[in-house]
Amino acid sequence: MDRFEAGNYDIIVVGAGHAGCEAALASARMGMKTLMITLSLDSIAALPCNPSIGGTGKGQLVREIDALGGEMGLNIDKTFIQSRMLNTAKGPAVHSLRAQTDKNLYHRVMKETIENQENLDLVMDEVEEILHEGKVVTGVATRLGCIYRSKMTILATGVYLQSTIFIGHDTFKEGPNGMAYAKKLTDSLKDLGLSMRRFKTGTPARVHRDSIDFSVMEPQEGDEKISPFSFMNEDLEKDQITCYLTRTTPDTKKLIQDNITRSAMYSGNIEGTGPRYCPSIEDKIVKFADKETHQLFIEPEGLDTKEMYVQGVSTSFPVDMQERMYRTIKGLENVKIMRPAYAIEYDCIDPTQLKQNLEIKGVENLFSAGQFNGTSGYEEAGAQGLIAGINAVLKIKGEEAFIMDRSEGYIGVLIDDLVTKGTNEPYRMMTSRAEYRLYLRQDNADMRLTEKGYQLGLVTEERYNRFLKKKSELEAEIERLKKERITPKEVNHILEERNIATLNNGLSLYEFLKRPEIDYSMLELTGKQSPKDISDEVKNQAVIMIKYEGYIAKQMKQIEQFRKLEKKKLREDMDYSKIDGLRLEARQKLDNIKPTSIGQASRISGVSPSDISVLLIYLEQKRRGNKN
């Protein structure tokens, strides 16, 4: 096919999933002429697996995307059909918001946002080749013969590179839900010197609502008071749908055990590595053989469809086996499958090939984000897309890269884990991955990141003024609580009625709120309530800051120590082979990752504390030598 020059852009984004959407919107909103190329306009912000946004660890990512001026939080707030705050029985460090969404509406609203975005063009085509001069990327060439030139290119290809669907022993060269797949781009990336690998993920069947017996299942309702994802929203009211909890049975277990070789996962057909934290039902049966049953959730795909998502039972069994298996589950005895479950294998990269700004090492002007970088999940993808978009713009402007470290956000933890430690399986964000999670809470993401988003030019004046108002109200409320006092006479009769220890002396409201049993409702009973115009969000944050003051202070000291090591910079061109005292493994790992700081070097697998001591001594000797 003859090729022709189809246009010049500042930034081209390849792919329109959650990473591609955030990257393209960030680029356009920061003033760059941007092109988004997608295999299908119907796959923009698609949710091919679970119909939800957020969850443990993931909800924090969405809040941070929102605080920086991204779109995911706003979009889910417009399209959710049930909202729940998870882990509320535990401390605030692990509270995580999760919302079921109408997946078709989520796609349509995001597509509309992209179509209406100034500086952003959208085309449906397949990128087959990354154009480059030497190791400098100059644009892309497509299946339809179009050549698009660009200053920067961002790869956000998701699971579509050489993707293969597995259902039993049958395989299909296609993307999720029968979508087209990218046939040739992998070869072009290999020509550029990228090291590729195969990962695998999967999704459960979708079943007809009318074939389910909900009477034997446990209803799962949404929260009575809805917590928005976006800091731009305060009160959201909506009639929410019901999800349902049920379980597999011993019959499910036996059926799977007796037919395990019919699964693509256990027949040897699949080469790719699957996600440890979202295993197939076959994996659950094999790896947790002592468990007789496993819980699962039945979740609606949307308001305009009777498709129901069977969360927790992804599989690569053939369709006849799927039907038999699902019918052993409590409440699904007469179930009708509308879309079969499948596994999907796809090409991605080892993320240690990335710099911390998500630009690919050794290749100029090529960034990447999302599942192409070895992650799983919409939220992880969106977070990376936003950072890749921001940094592609900053590189064009000749400005310093935007690097969020581990002490600043879950996004920083996610990217640092990828580029420093790498991953041998699809990476999933969890609260346990964040060392400073009591500080990196979802409720204070705006306090941590909105100023940064404003400086980058992504946060609107409206959002910034809203942030300043909340910050001012929070500071004023904390100050009021420290000044106002309460006496035993004012409160002891209320405490006695509730079998709570009484006061012997007066104390400030701040100290009073430190007591585990005390919250704002108690202050209101005593007439010590806050000004009426202060939001519940401000009150909740004030309570967390007060009750966990000692723990937060301890964590801030840890962060201070962490940042000292992050400030000890290492040159990208440092020759580790010439540093005496480093072990061979450390030299190899340091040369491969090329850490930017002592802190990052200390997190590389294979670099020991003694190696870090050698590096510190080397830096000090160099510093003294430069002084002389």
Side-chain angles (χ1 to χ4, degrees):
M1 178 180 289
D2 293 334
R3 289 180 171 180
F4 67 98
E5 296 288 337
N8 295 303
Y9 291 87
D10 293 314
I11 294 175
I12 292 174
V13 178
V14 182
H18 304 281
C21 288
E22 295 294 347
L25 288 169
S27 169
R29 288 167 176 172
M30 292 173 74
M32 295 293 135
K33 185 181 179 185
T34 306
L35 172 66
M36 174 188 276
I37 306 175
T38 176
L39 287 166
S40 171
L41 296 180
D42 296 328
S43 65
I44 293 171
L47 296 97
C49 197
N50 56 307
S52 68
I53 296 292
T56 303
K58 294 169 176 280
Q60 282 84 339
L61 287 173
V62 181
R63 282 278 177 89
E64 291 181 358
I65 291 169
D66 183 73
L68 285 168
E71 194 64 27
M72 183 173 273
L74 289 165
N75 209 65
I76 184 61
D77 280 354
K78 294 173 186 174
T79 61
F80 78 94
I81 54 179
Q82 190 198 78
S83 178
R84 295 182 71 189
M85 188 69 73
L86 306 181
N87 305 322
T88 53
K90 302 177 182 178
V94 295
H95 291 179
S96 301
L97 187 59
R98 183 178 188 267
Q100 298 296 133
T101 186
D102 183 318
K103 61 175 15 175
N104 291 328
L105 184 60
Y106 188 95
H107 150 74
R108 293 200 306 271
V109 173
M110 186 67 84
K111 182 171 182 279
E112 182 181 6
T113 299
I114 288 166
E115 290 171 342
N116 291 331
Q117 178 60 51
E118 187 180 359
N119 297 324
L120 180 54
D121 291 343
L122 175 64
V123 299
M124 179 170 154
D125 201 348
E126 179 186 343
V127 172
E128 292 188 334
E129 183 182 353
I130 301 297
L131 302 176
H132 55 96
E133 296 175 4
K135 290 288 188 176
V136 180
V137 170
T138 59
V140 301
T142 75
R143 181 171 66 93
L144 299 179
C146 300
I147 290 177
Y148 296 102
R149 305 289 179 182
S150 65
K151 297 172 184 174
M152 302 288 153
T153 298
I154 302 172
L155 298 171
T157 55
V159 299
Y160 288 85
L161 287 189
Q162 287 290 344
S163 53
T164 304
I165 298 291
F166 294 84
I167 302 177
H169 296 299
D170 295 320
T171 60
F172 310 93
K173 293 297 292 183
E174 60 189 33
N177 290 325
M179 292 283 185
Y181 74 104
K183 304 173 186 67
K184 297 183 178 180
L185 186 54
T186 292
D187 291 337
S188 179
L189 296 174
K190 287 180 179 177
D191 289 343
L192 264 174
L194 274 68
S195 175
M196 307 298 293
R197 53 166 60 170
R198 293 288 276 180
F199 272 2
K200 167 258 170 193
T201 188
T203 189
R206 273 62 164 181
V207 301
H208 199 291
R209 181 183 186 91
D210 294 348
S211 67
I212 301 171
D213 181 4
F214 294 110
S215 67
V216 297
M217 298 182 180
E218 183 181 333
Q220 303 287 298
E221 306 291 350
D223 291 340
E224 186 174 339
K225 181 170 177 52
I226 296 168
S227 301
F229 267 108
S230 177
F231 291 99
M232 292 298 287
N233 297 317
E234 285 186 15
D235 297 315
L236 295 176
E237 293 186 7
K238 185 181 289 189
D239 291 334
Q240 300 185 64
I241 54 84
T242 302
C243 297
Y244 295 86
L245 168 67
T246 186
R247 302 191 71 87
T248 63
T249 63
D251 288 340
T252 314
K253 179 179 179 180
K254 185 176 188 312
L255 183 65
I256 291 172
Q257 288 174 330
D258 291 347
N259 293 272
I260 194 70
T261 56
R262 298 192 67 197
S263 162
M265 276 291 297
Y266 285 88
S267 66
N269 287 356
I270 293 179
E271 299 174 6
T273 305
R276 179 185 312 186
Y277 300 103
C278 188
S280 67
I281 189 64
E282 297 97 300
D283 272 344
K284 291 179 183 178
I285 297 300
V286 170
K287 294 177 180 177
F288 305 100
D290 57 319
K291 294 193 69 171
E292 289 299 308
T293 68
H294 297 269
Q295 73 174 20
L296 59 114
F297 295 89
I298 306 297
E299 302 169 340
E301 293 264 287
L303 300 177
D304 61 352
T305 178
K306 290 198 172 182
E307 287 186 78
M308 303 291 283
Y309 178 81
V310 187
Q311 189 205 126
V313 193
S314 68
T315 180
S316 57
F317 275 124
V319 175
D320 67 306
M321 177 62 187
Q322 289 187 34
E323 187 172 271
R324 290 171 63 198
M325 179 187 69
Y326 283 117
R327 288 185 174 182
T328 64
I329 295 169
K330 191 176 180 181
L332 301 184
E333 291 85 356
N334 299 301
V335 77
K336 293 179 180 179
I337 294 176
M338 298 177 72
R339 301 189 198 215
Y342 60 82
I344 182 169
E345 196 176 67
Y346 54 94
D347 288 343
C348 58
I349 62 166
D350 178 348
T352 59
Q353 296 174 88
L354 298 170
K355 300 177 183 177
Q356 286 189 313
N357 67 346
L358 295 183
E359 186 176 15
I360 293 175
K361 295 173 184 175
V363 182
E364 283 293 312
N365 307 336
L366 183 62
F367 292 76
S368 70
Q371 286 185 269
F372 178 75
N373 287 350
T375 58
S376 70
Y378 314 137
E379 304 81 4
E380 291 89 342
Q384 293 171 73
L386 180 63
I387 300 303
I390 289 170
N391 280 319
V393 173
L394 295 177
K395 185 165 185 183
I396 290 175
K397 291 182 175 181
E399 297 178 11
E400 185 178 348
F402 175 61
I403 308 296
M404 192 187 301
D405 70 40
R406 301 181 71 88
S407 70
E408 294 175 305
Y410 272 73
I411 294 176
V413 174
L414 163 66
I415 293 175
D416 185 65
D417 277 354
L418 290 174
V419 304
T420 304
K421 303 175 183 178
T423 182
N424 293 320
E425 61 193 31
Y427 177 103
R428 184 198 189 283
M429 177 50 67
M430 298 176 288
T431 53
S432 59
R433 296 192 190 272
E435 305 93 313
Y436 313 115
R437 57 185 175 272
L438 185 54
Y439 173 60
L440 305 181
R441 305 183 311 276
Q442 61 171 9
D443 63 273
N444 69 356
D446 56 341
M447 295 292 120
R448 292 184 278 114
L449 299 174
T450 302
E451 186 72 50
K452 295 178 186 292
Y454 184 68
Q455 291 169 0
L456 289 165
L458 267 179
V459 165
T460 63
E461 288 294 333
E462 180 188 3
R463 179 185 287 272
Y464 189 59
N465 289 333
R466 193 184 189 102
F467 154 72
L468 292 177
K469 181 175 181 288
K470 178 183 171 184
K471 184 179 179 184
S472 175
E473 287 179 352
L474 181 60
E475 290 170 350
E477 178 65 356
I478 293 290
E479 192 61 28
R480 179 188 79 87
L481 293 169
K482 286 181 176 179
K483 285 182 178 178
E484 286 195 30
R485 298 182 65 79
I486 195 164
T487 65
K489 184 178 179 181
E490 290 173 304
V491 75
N492 276 355
H493 64 287
I494 298 173
L495 298 177
E496 287 172 354
E497 289 173 0
R498 289 160 176 76
N499 294 319
I500 299 172
T502 56
L503 301 184
N504 294 322
N505 301 294
L507 73 171
S508 70
L509 297 182
Y510 189 94
E511 291 298 322
F512 187 51
L513 275 169
K514 280 191 173 183
R515 301 179 74 176
E517 314 91 339
I518 308 302
D519 56 21
Y520 264 87
S521 64
M522 192 72 75
L523 296 187
E524 290 168 2
L525 289 174
T526 65
K528 300 286 186 178
Q529 65 267 29
S530 57
K532 290 182 180 179
D533 58 347
I534 288 183
S535 67
D536 289 341
E537 193 178 4
V538 169
K539 293 177 187 176
N540 291 339
Q541 199 161 333
V543 167
I544 292 170
M545 291 170 66
I546 292 168
K547 289 188 182 297
Y548 293 88
E549 181 183 34
Y551 296 104
I552 293 172
K554 182 179 179 181
Q555 197 147 98
M556 295 311 292
K557 287 183 180 179
Q558 294 170 342
I559 288 173
E560 188 179 335
Q561 291 300 114
F562 162 83
R563 287 178 176 167
K564 284 181 181 178
L565 291 179
E566 297 300 303
K567 288 177 182 177
K568 294 184 182 295
K569 297 298 181 183
L570 296 169
R571 296 194 322 273
E572 190 175 332
D573 61 352
M574 188 173 288
D575 187 351
Y576 293 98
S577 66
K578 294 183 179 178
I579 301 178
D580 293 334
L582 285 177
R583 295 173 307 110
L584 179 60
E585 182 185 9
R587 290 178 180 180
Q588 292 172 341
K589 293 290 182 67
L590 290 164
D591 189 57
N592 178 49
I593 302 296
K594 297 192 182 302
T596 59
S597 69
I598 290 289
Q600 187 186 2
S602 71
R603 295 188 293 277
I604 298 173
S605 174
V607 177
S608 69
S610 63
D611 295 316
I612 296 300
S613 297
V614 169
L615 284 176
L616 287 169
I617 292 169
Y618 174 80
L619 289 181
E620 181 62 20
Q621 289 172 341
K622 294 288 287 185
R623 186 185 68 81
R624 290 179 180 178
N626 291 335
K627 281 187 175 182
N628 296 334

